[in-house]
Structure formats: structure tokens, C-alpha cells
Amino acid sequence: MSDAYTPPDTPLDVVHEDHEILLLDKPAGLLSVPGKGEHLADCLLTRAQAAFPTALLVHRLDRDTSGIMVFALTPHAQRHLGLQFEHRRTKKTYVARVHGKLEPKTGTVDLPLCADWPNRPRQMVDHENGRAAQTDWRVQRYAEGETRVRLMPRTGRSHQLRVHMLALGHPILGDPFYAERKVRDYPRMMLHSEELRLLHPDGGKGMSFRAPAPF
């Protein structure tokens, strides 16, 4: 962890619930799953299981990222959703505020990533040992010294959006690992999982779930 862990004391924000799946809006600053040590036990998974005892993990968001997460409520749903993530059948859209003026207004980052082992959990671009990673972007608007952008990852590497924006020279505002000086001096990291599209485990119907960015 980059600093003391003080997760927000907020109630569960349920976006959708049915007999197979549970969609929650995770607040920034809360781990998706327990970390190592009792002081890192509080997380969205354990909070979800307190209210929905059958909730099962499917995927994760970084501690400092907010937004939509899906949990399975049955083993069947967990398997079904897990395969969707594995085979890239889910579609995720994030909103970010990044430093500087990102140009052009649309594009794709295609840079392989791997762990920066001496500085874990940081990741880095590595053309020799990295795993393929692609992120599409679309600028929403410009403001003084920053850009609001939609990010659509094609792959799901650890810290992918954060490292890709850094590689473009536009780190995400408030990023505790990859931003420096004034770019880091924000109350939270300005990255939010806004939309998740998936196939429902019961019948395969395409569904889309959204949670507006709080910034």
C-alpha cells in the first residue's frame, strides 16, 4: 500500500441485483479484496458478503479506482462471468481526468506491460517481457491544464490505464503511484469505472450497467 489504509465508511451502493448477479459502485480508497494483514481486511468483497452472503468475486478494481464491479451470486454465474472476462467478452468504459492536453482526441495505446519488480505493485512498459495491452481513448473535453477522457481497455492488465496514460505523458490526476508533485495533489485518483457491459449468466442477454463518475 502506498500509504495508511483508511477506507471510506460508506454504505453499499447497489446498482443492480437479481438472482444471479450483483452490481456495486465501489468507492475510491476501498480495496476490492482483503490485503495481507488484519489492517487490510476491510474490502468491498467482505462488505458485499455481509449483505449478500452468497456473493462471489469475479474481477477487481484498484483500491484508488471507483466504479462498477460485478459479483456473482451463484457458482454458475461466477464461472459464466469469469469466462466472459477471460475471453474479453465484457466491455468496460472508464472516465479519467489526466494532466495536460491529450491529443489527438481519439487514439489507441498499444504498449506491453509487466511488473516493475523492485517497485511492486508498480507496473511498467516492457517491450521484451511485457504482456500485450491495448487501451482506446476518446477525449470528452479540455479544461485548464487537464483533459477529461473516456478510456476503453481492450485488455485487463494490472494498472493498465494508469501506466498507459503515464506513457503518453498524461498521468491520471491524483495517482499515488505514477503522478508526481502537483499532479498527485488531489483528494483521490481521478479514475472511475463508469460502464460495464456483459452477458447475463441466465440466458446470455446483453446488459449494460452504469455509475456516474463522482468527479
Side-chain angles (χ1 to χ4, degrees):
M1 307 298 290
S2 59
D3 48 26
Y5 182 48
T6 53
D9 185 16
T10 54
L12 282 184
D13 188 345
V14 179
V15 175
H16 173 87
E17 174 208 350
D18 61 38
H19 62 293
E20 291 275 17
I21 59 176
L22 172 68
L23 280 292
L24 300 176
D25 185 357
K26 186 184 86 69
L30 180 65
L31 290 167
S32 294
V33 297
K36 292 182 179 179
E38 195 171 316
H39 65 297
L40 301 177
D42 187 12
C43 65
L44 189 60
L45 177 61
T46 54
R47 293 185 184 188
Q49 289 172 337
F52 302 89
T54 65
L56 299 166
L57 186 71
V58 175
H59 68 125
R60 308 180 189 196
L61 289 177
D62 292 343
R63 178 196 66 176
D64 300 304
T65 304
S66 58
I68 289 282
M69 278 187 67
V70 61
F71 294 85
L73 294 178
T74 68
H76 162 74
Q78 186 184 40
R79 289 191 298 271
H80 195 284
L81 292 168
L83 286 171
Q84 289 186 55
F85 276 90
E86 182 181 345
H87 296 294
R88 303 179 189 175
R89 300 191 71 186
T90 58
K91 300 294 182 184
K92 292 185 280 186
T93 301
Y94 292 75
V95 174
R97 288 167 55 195
V98 302
H99 176 65
K101 188 173 184 179
L102 175 59
E103 292 182 315
K105 289 192 173 181
T106 61
T108 300
V109 187
D110 187 356
L111 292 171
L113 303 176
C114 73
D116 182 359
W117 290 106
N119 300 297
R120 290 186 70 192
R122 287 175 60 102
Q123 306 290 305
M124 64 181 184
V125 174
D126 187 328
H127 292 280
E128 291 186 4
N129 304 306
R131 300 172 70 191
Q134 299 89 28
T135 303
D136 297 326
W137 86 78
R138 184 170 66 250
V139 169
Q140 290 185 286
R141 61 177 178 269
Y142 298 113
E144 185 175 351
E146 67 176 74
T147 302
R148 187 180 183 91
V149 62
R150 274 203 166 93
L151 302 172
M152 290 76 70
R154 298 185 192 176
T155 52
R157 309 302 178 205
S158 181
H159 291 190
Q160 176 176 317
L161 304 180
R162 302 163 72 168
V163 179
H164 275 175
M165 289 300 98
L166 177 68
L168 292 180
H170 300 279
I172 295 172
L173 300 178
D175 190 326
F177 287 142
Y178 303 101
E180 297 180 355
R181 296 183 291 276
K182 290 184 179 180
V183 182
R184 183 175 175 173
D185 190 19
Y186 285 79
R188 58 157 291 174
M189 182 170 70
M190 299 299 172
L191 179 63
H192 176 80
S193 176
E194 181 183 58
E195 182 178 19
L196 176 61
R197 299 180 185 180
L198 53 81
L199 304 177
H200 197 281
D202 185 2
K205 178 183 177 182
M207 302 184 76
S208 178
F209 304 95
R210 293 174 59 89
F215 52 78

